[in-house]
Amino acid sequence: MLLCALLPSCSRQPLAPDLKKEIEEVSAVSLLGSDFTIDVISRSVISSKERALDVSAWKVDETFRSLLEEHSKERGKNFRTLALDPGSLEKALAVRESRWKKILGTHSQAALDLLLRKAGEQRIHYLFLVSPLENRRDFPLHKGNMGIYCYDRKLLKSRAYAYFFLDFSLWDVKAKKKIFREAVDPAYTQEMAFAECREVAELKEPLEALKDPVHHTMKLLVDKLFTKMGWEKTAP
């Protein structure tokens, strides 16, 4: 399983037609949390702005789960909510993992084991998992699991876009096998820019102003991931 995470061709191929027919029911769990960073890179270090926000009110994990439910139903699949004992997932996530495991795409083996075991007990056969992506070497200036990033310099300007570092995977619960995986980094959403950099820098109420654009980016991102899987909507 860990070797598969090292080989992109092993799990990034579109789902086979027979497999898409075989999947009748899915569930989804997102583990990104609520830490969010706004980075506006301006002409000088002094004028550059970095803001750390708690976006619990945005319900990012719940939104990803709802989007995966919506997309699954559009493809004729039943969707079930995975029931977990209160506090059990948080306890599993607190277990320290080696950096090597994280680089391999296993954010928390204890959490993964818990999710697959509970899904199996509830006879859920396939599970979408959205978890933090640990390998970020190509984007050293982007902070945290998610945020807003842009440049406002004399010779380098960009529009603001929402970014995510996430590991998106679809698991065969019984086999404990990852049948699709895509690593999502800021390059995935750069084309989804939604505002001028200076507008974001001047926001007085970023929690209120950025919620809808970020949620819209999340929807476009899930659309893109299902396209990567080769999983089209069911014809009406």
Side-chain angles (χ1 to χ4, degrees), residues 29-32 61 64 68 128-132 166-169:
V29 174
S30 177
L31 305 173
L32 289 186
D61 287 322
F64 266 122
L68 291 168
F128 285 114
L129 180 59
V130 178
S131 58
L166 64 86
D167 190 289
F168 175 80
S169 54

Side-chain angles (χ1 to χ4, degrees), residues 3-14 179-183:
L3 179 60
C4 184
L6 285 174
L7 302 174
S9 61
C10 168
S11 53
R12 291 183 62 191
Q13 297 297 323
I179 58 176
F180 181 85
R181 180 196 177 221
E182 184 76 355

Side-chain angles (χ1 to χ4, degrees), residues 50-215:
E50 178 183 320
R51 292 197 233 180
L53 302 177
D54 179 348
V55 295
S56 299
W58 293 0
K59 300 185 182 297
V60 170
D61 287 322
E62 291 88 338
T63 300
F64 266 122
R65 179 192 165 282
S66 295
L67 287 168
L68 291 168
E69 176 179 359
E70 175 186 326
H71 280 64
S72 299
K73 288 180 175 178
E74 288 175 344
R75 286 148 182 82
K77 309 303 177 183
N78 294 324
F79 187 91
R80 289 177 57 196
T81 299
L82 180 62
L84 297 170
D85 298 327
S88 61
L89 184 56
E90 290 78 6
K91 183 178 179 180
L93 286 169
V95 175
R96 288 181 61 86
E97 298 290 343
S98 71
R99 179 169 175 78
W100 181 240
K101 282 186 177 180
K102 290 181 178 181
I103 289 174
L104 287 173
T106 307
H107 176 64
S108 171
Q109 189 64 44
L112 177 61
D113 291 344
L114 171 68
L115 293 171
L116 294 179
R117 175 166 56 81
K118 286 296 184 181
E121 291 173 358
Q122 296 167 43
R123 297 186 179 181
I124 295 172
H125 301 302
Y126 292 92
L127 176 70
F128 285 114
L129 180 59
V130 178
S131 58
L133 180 68
E134 295 297 331
N135 189 348
R136 308 177 182 190
R137 62 179 178 271
D138 293 332
F139 297 90
L141 300 180
H142 293 67
K143 313 289 196 312
N145 295 333
M146 53 188 168
I148 301 288
Y149 196 83
C150 63
Y151 281 94
D152 184 20
R153 289 179 170 172
K154 187 174 182 179
L155 299 178
L156 182 60
K157 294 182 181 292
S158 70
R159 286 170 58 80
Y161 64 94
Y163 68 86
F164 299 88
F165 286 106
L166 64 86
D167 190 289
F168 175 80
S169 54
L170 175 60
W171 289 81
D172 179 329
V173 173
K174 185 177 181 180
K176 295 185 179 180
K177 178 182 178 182
K178 192 183 297 184
I179 58 176
F180 181 85
R181 180 196 177 221
E182 184 76 355
V184 173
D185 59 31
Y188 238 77
T189 52
Q190 283 179 339
E191 64 188 30
M192 303 172 191
F194 60 87
E196 297 301 325
C197 196
R198 192 165 298 178
E199 293 174 9
V200 172
E202 295 172 353
L203 286 174
K204 291 183 170 55
E205 299 291 340
L207 274 176
E208 181 178 344
L210 295 174
K211 178 182 177 181
D212 287 346
V214 171
H215 277 198

